[in-house]
Amino acid sequence: MASTSAPPINLVEPGLYSHGDPFAQWRWLRANDPVHWHPPGELPGFWALTRYADVKDAYLDHETFSSARGILLRPDEHGADPGGGRTLALTDPPRHRMLRGLVDGWFTVRSVRALEAEMADIARGVVDRALEAGGCDFVTDVAARVPLYVICRMMGVPEADWEHLYTLTSQAFAGGDALTRRVAHLEILGYFEQLRKARAAEPGDDLVSRLATADVEGAPLDPRDVILNCDNLFVGGTENTRIAAAGGMLAFLRHPDQWRTLVDDPSLLNSAVEEVLRWTSTATHIMRTATRPVTLHGKRIAAGDRVVFWLPSADRDESVFDDPDRFDVRRRPNRHLALGFGEHFCLGSMLARVELRLLYRELLTRAPRIALDSTPKLLDSIVVNGPERLPVTFGR
Ligand code: HEM
């Protein structure tokens, strides 16, 4: 259903995601201009894909839409992404498959099930601590801790260092000024460099040891590639899950009937987690670079052009989801793209689902009267969207 009154389109203004309504722009683009040329400004120009089917098709065509030149928009003056051609997320097949094959055994249903009891203990401990305080910032005190402790455990970070990495992660990825973020991220990379050296000398049964001792195409992985892939796993393992867990909680607080439904019938937890993933779609944009010319809905995309998938838009596509702007813990089917699709489908998808389920299960039984304490603050970012601060009380 095409409409003529176009809203001003600017998807790269970070304030849109903290104070504006990106869904109005995406709705208009889906209906009227599904392959939209977004002109250059501080960021380079790109083609914006907003429909579910187009995003899914492009995801499946990794030969035309490459990841190796970066998967996030960045200013030209920042140069090429240092992970380009080196990390799991930023390589194309066949190298991508080799890198993924090194670590994917840790993320299978079976491996995640084997960790489930430990993950449940972690979720319980985090909720205990928050309940004792009577209230908290759900983002930093609850949602950030569960995935961080779990990925630390899988990467072989000694438990004594978990709080240190928690502090660094909070500084690097959870708001704050650019310099503080950068310094903290460099410290995280430095930490993994030390851990890499230790594990290369004395390997254990963990992800860092696996990467530090791996052979790819008959040669050991370059130490720089080990660090960059550790960073990919660590950031991948923490950031989106933190925001999805908090964004899901915010959705429940704004739709108390859905929380009540879940409190009354926890057997709906699995479908509720899928709806949280769809609703939050925390990875706001994912970029590819065209390797050859291609025409889509009459628009000619040239080789070398950036093509950007807007996942929250695809996940509200009215031609795929009934009543897409309704948050519904019973929604079925729910084949959202929040975890990507195809070759680069989220490695930690199973882990993320179990973490969300265990955390909400704990809260449903122990904090069913959770309530908003004051106005939440949303992230100012075009990369990830969701709460930066979510003050809650637990009631009685
Ligand atoms: C709710 C939580 C999560 C969301 C929404 C999410 C989202 C995504 C998305 C959209 C992609 C695809 C990127 C692309 O198409 O280029 C992806 C890839 C990836 N995710 Fe997640 N993720 C989550 C949790 C996790 C966790 C817990 C881990 C654990 C390590 C993880 C690790 C990764 C890695 C390593 C990749 C790159 C895979 C590849 O390129 O083959 N993610 N994630």
Side-chain angles (χ1 to χ4, degrees):
M1 193 188 8
S3 125
T4 45
S5 55
I9 301 292
N10 181 2
L11 296 173
V12 297
E13 165 54 46
L16 176 65
Y17 302 92
S18 52
H19 295 95
D21 180 12
F23 290 98
Q25 294 189 34
W26 287 325
R27 201 173 297 121
W28 190 89
L29 288 171
R30 285 196 303 272
N32 298 281
D33 192 9
V35 184
H36 171 79
W37 175 248
H38 205 290
E42 276 176 36
L43 290 167
F46 60 88
W47 296 100
L49 302 194
T50 45
R51 285 187 186 166
Y52 181 97
D54 295 334
V55 169
K56 198 166 167 184
D57 287 351
Y59 253 134
L60 286 176
D61 185 359
H62 61 81
E63 286 178 3
T64 306
F65 299 104
S66 161
S67 296
R69 285 166 68 179
I71 60 166
L72 296 175
L73 286 163
R74 48 194 273 134
D76 278 333
E77 63 268 25
H78 288 192
D81 193 313
R86 290 172 173 266
T87 65
L88 200 50
L90 271 62
T91 40
D92 294 323
R95 189 168 173 82
H96 171 255
R97 279 183 200 158
M98 284 185 255
L99 288 174
R100 192 156 166 138
L102 295 176
V103 290
D104 60 3
W106 265 266
F107 295 92
T108 58
V109 177
R110 203 173 151 168
S111 303
V112 174
R113 278 217 185 108
L115 263 184
E116 191 163 329
E118 262 184 85
M119 288 164 46
D121 283 347
I122 288 175
R124 193 169 314 118
V126 167
V127 171
D128 278 346
R129 213 157 124 174
L131 285 176
E132 268 167 37
C136 67
D137 170 20
F138 192 87
V139 179
T140 50
D141 297 330
V142 178
R145 288 186 187 272
V146 174
L148 180 103
Y149 296 163
V150 171
I151 197 72
C152 280
R153 155 77 176 74
M154 293 172 81
M155 294 183 80
V157 173
E159 205 167 329
D161 294 346
W162 290 6
E163 279 309 303
H164 175 53
L165 279 178
Y166 167 77
T167 306
L168 289 178
T169 311
S170 311
Q171 292 166 353
F173 306 116
D177 66 277
L179 184 64
T180 309
R181 289 205 306 265
R182 177 120 193 86
V183 170
H185 195 181
L186 286 173
E187 267 194 68
I188 293 173
L189 293 172
Y191 181 88
F192 281 113
E193 168 57 2
Q194 294 308 318
L195 194 60
R196 179 199 69 78
K197 281 192 191 144
R199 294 294 187 264
E202 203 177 321
D205 183 18
D206 57 69
L207 283 163
V208 175
S209 298
R210 178 73 184 114
L211 290 167
T213 57
D215 265 7
V216 175
E217 294 165 322
L221 261 190
D222 182 303
R224 209 177 110 120
D225 291 14
V226 176
I227 308 301
L228 289 169
N229 278 291
C230 284
D231 188 51
N232 191 175
L233 289 172
F234 184 70
V235 177
T238 49
E239 203 178 14
N240 273 296
T241 317
R242 174 187 85 238
I243 305 169
M249 196 64 245
L250 178 58
F252 285 123
L253 293 166
R254 285 182 171 157
H255 301 86
D257 60 314
Q258 296 299 302
W259 184 246
R260 237 359 318 137
T261 302
L262 210 50
V263 170
D264 293 344
D265 183 2
S267 74
L268 291 170
L269 258 170
N270 285 339
S271 69
V273 164
E274 291 315 307
E275 182 66 342
V276 162
L277 288 168
R278 181 189 77 91
W279 187 259
T280 56
S281 288
T282 53
T284 314
H285 83 267
I286 294 288
M287 190 183 82
R288 296 292 188 257
T289 304
T291 57
R292 54 188 175 211
V294 56
T295 301
L296 200 54
H297 295 294
K299 302 281 178 75
R300 182 130 178 96
I301 298 175
D305 281 359
R306 293 169 177 84
V307 180
V308 174
F309 312 158
W310 295 90
L311 299 185
S313 172
D315 284 341
R316 299 282 181 105
D317 188 323
E318 37 292 281
S319 69
V320 175
F321 300 98
D322 286 340
D323 203 356
D325 295 321
R326 185 164 46 90
F327 179 64
D328 176 5
V329 294
R330 296 177 190 273
R331 183 178 293 277
R332 263 170 214 264
N334 194 351
R335 297 193 191 91
H336 59 78
L337 300 176
L339 299 159
F341 199 72
E343 195 66 32
H344 289 274
F345 180 66
C346 177
L347 180 71
S349 59
M350 182 53 59
L351 192 64
R353 286 175 161 129
V354 174
E355 288 173 348
L356 293 174
R357 173 164 53 74
L358 293 174
L359 178 58
Y360 292 134
R361 192 185 67 187
E362 204 60 34
L363 291 163
L364 285 175
T365 45
R366 302 188 47 215
R369 293 197 176 77
I370 185 167
L372 260 184
D373 195 24
S374 56
T375 314
K377 181 173 190 293
L378 301 183
L379 286 161
D380 248 330
S381 166
I382 67 161
V383 176
V384 278
N385 70 94
E388 179 179 335
R389 261 206 323 269
L390 181 59
V392 295
T393 55
F394 293 111
R396 286 193 292 149

